[in-house]
């Protein structure tokens, strides 16, 4: 099978035939209602779409640095990324059994097969991101939000008022929109590719647990290594002077994606295709 047909097959399987994606619009709508409660202020002007987007990915104060009563677990933020990882957590396991294994044996090179799976993962996660974006956009339209990527000047102060850790800086203009839009997408893709690469060495459930730990670490600390904090927009250096740098987090994510794709391909090329059923169950 040539590369074009294989990629088309994987995109179809990962996006159009992935029934787990059906839950994303309902979750996104519920998350929008929750975010709306945070940003609503009767005394201020109408909120903007950027306010809603930032509230959806606002994140939290690092729990390890929070004083008594200040620690807040960002349930919707956690659920969003964990749910996204769940939609693709067993992709490699499924593809290395049954029909997927037949396609592998008919492919000219293992590297082509592996890159096709990476494209499938990215396509599925981009679909999730697009669903979240469109759902929040429609919610903002129906709710009377101003359709602009300018964050309201009062939003950071209102949402971070309860913490004593962050020093709120000047609210940026629309020039910050690319970072605000790209950071969550890059984190989605990083978690998905890492999860697939890790699943080369353990069962899908184990790879999912490791991915979940990477996400949870971002709620505990704001160390530079806690790359999942690049999905926390409000507590970043865009709005605070001592927050997490989205640029540094995105650079780490890009490096991790390259390692996952190339390192996974290197290991996969040395994988024995004709494992016994018992050996296969141990690896997958």
């Amino acid at each position: 099978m040539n590369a074009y047909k294989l990629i088309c097959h994987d995109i179809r399987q990962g996006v159009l035939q992935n029934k787990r994606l059906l839950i994303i619009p309902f979750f996104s709508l519920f998350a929008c209602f929750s975010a709306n409660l945070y940003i609503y202020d009767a005394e201020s002007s109408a909120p903007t779409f950027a306010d809603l987007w930032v509230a959806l990915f606002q994140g939290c104060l690092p729990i390890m640095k929070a004083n008594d009563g200040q620690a807040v677990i960002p349930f919707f933020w956690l659920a969003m990324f964990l749910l996204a990882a769940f939609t693709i957590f067993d992709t490699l396991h499924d593809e290395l059994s049954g029909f997927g294994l037949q396609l592998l044996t008919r492919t000219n090179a293992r590297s082509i097969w592996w890159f096709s799976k990476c494209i499938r993962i990215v396509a599925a996660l981009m679909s999730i991101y697009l669903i979240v974006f469109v759902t929040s956009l429609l919610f903002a339209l129906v709710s009377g939000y101003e359709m602009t990527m300018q964050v309201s000047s009062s939003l950071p102060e209102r949402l971070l008022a309860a913490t004593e850790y962050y020093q709120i800086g000047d609210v940026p203009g629309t020039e910050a929109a690319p970072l605000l839009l790209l950071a969550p997408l890059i984190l989605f893709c990083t978690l998905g590719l890492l999860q697939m690469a890790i699943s080369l060495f353990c069962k899908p459930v184990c790879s999912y647990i490791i991915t979940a730990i990477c996400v949870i670490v971002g709620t505990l600390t704001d160390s530079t290594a806690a790359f999942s904090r690049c999905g926390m927009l409000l507590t970043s250096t865009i709005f605070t002077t001592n927050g997490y740098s989205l640029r540094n987090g995105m650079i780490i994510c890009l490096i991790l994606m390259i390692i996952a794709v190339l390192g996974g391909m290197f290991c996969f090329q040395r994988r024995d295709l004709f494992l016994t059923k018992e050996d296969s169950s141990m690896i997958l």
Side-chain angles (χ1 to χ4, degrees), residues 18 32 42 88 115 121 131 149-150 152 191 225 264 275:
N18 190 345
C32 286
I88 48 90
F115 280 123
I121 293 294
I131 292 172
M149 283 304 296
Q150 172 64 57
S152 299
L191 294 172
L275 299 172

Side-chain angles (χ1 to χ4, degrees), residues 149-160:
M149 283 304 296
Q150 172 64 57
V151 177
S152 299
S153 58
S154 61
L155 182 73
E157 185 176 354
R158 282 191 282 118
L159 295 187
L160 297 174

Side-chain angles (χ1 to χ4, degrees), residues 57-94:
F57 296 97
Q58 62 178 294
C60 68
L61 172 70
I63 294 176
M64 295 177 62
K65 296 183 178 181
N67 297 324
D68 294 339
Q70 289 187 340
V72 177
I73 300 176
F75 291 106
F76 279 101
W77 184 89
L78 282 170
M80 187 174 300
F81 288 99
L82 294 180
L83 182 60
F86 173 74
T87 60
I88 48 90
F89 87 102
D90 56 353
T91 296
L92 192 62
H93 175 270
D94 290 344

Side-chain angles (χ1 to χ4, degrees), residues 80-258:
M80 187 174 300
F81 288 99
L82 294 180
L83 182 60
F86 173 74
T87 60
I88 48 90
F89 87 102
D90 56 353
T91 296
L92 192 62
H93 175 270
D94 290 344
E95 289 298 307
L96 286 177
S97 59
F99 183 68
L101 187 58
Q102 295 181 28
L103 289 180
L104 175 56
T105 58
R106 293 163 53 189
T107 304
N108 296 331
R110 292 192 186 189
S111 58
I112 295 176
W113 191 92
W114 176 259
F115 280 123
S116 181
K117 302 310 163 193
C118 293
I119 292 173
R120 170 175 173 169
I121 293 294
V122 171
L125 293 170
M126 288 183 67
S127 298
I128 293 174
Y129 175 86
L130 186 60
I131 292 172
V132 174
F133 180 81
V134 172
T135 303
S136 58
L137 190 66
L138 293 176
F139 181 89
L141 280 170
V142 173
S143 302
Y145 284 54
E146 293 184 10
M147 304 310 295
T148 174
M149 283 304 296
Q150 172 64 57
V151 177
S152 299
S153 58
S154 61
L155 182 73
E157 185 176 354
R158 282 191 282 118
L159 295 187
L160 297 174
T163 69
E164 300 175 356
Y165 177 74
Y166 287 111
Q167 301 174 7
I168 302 174
D170 297 331
V171 177
T174 55
E175 69 275 5
L179 275 178
L180 296 178
L181 293 173
L182 283 176
L185 174 60
I186 290 178
L187 181 57
F188 275 132
C189 295
T190 301
L191 294 172
L193 291 173
L194 278 178
Q195 182 172 255
M196 188 175 71
I198 293 171
S199 66
L200 281 170
F201 310 100
C202 60
K203 294 183 178 181
V205 173
C206 294
S207 66
Y208 180 76
I209 292 174
I210 295 173
T211 303
I213 292 174
C214 292
V215 176
I216 294 172
V217 165
T219 67
L220 301 177
T221 177
D222 59 356
S223 167
T224 302
F227 65 91
S228 61
R229 285 197 76 88
C230 78
M232 297 184 179
L233 303 181
L234 186 64
T235 56
S236 69
T237 51
I238 292 181
F239 301 103
T240 65
T241 58
N242 59 334
Y244 187 85
S245 172
L246 290 188
R247 289 183 175 86
N248 290 343
M250 291 168 69
I251 291 173
I252 294 174
C253 284
L254 291 173
I255 293 174
L256 290 174
M257 281 193 283
I258 293 173

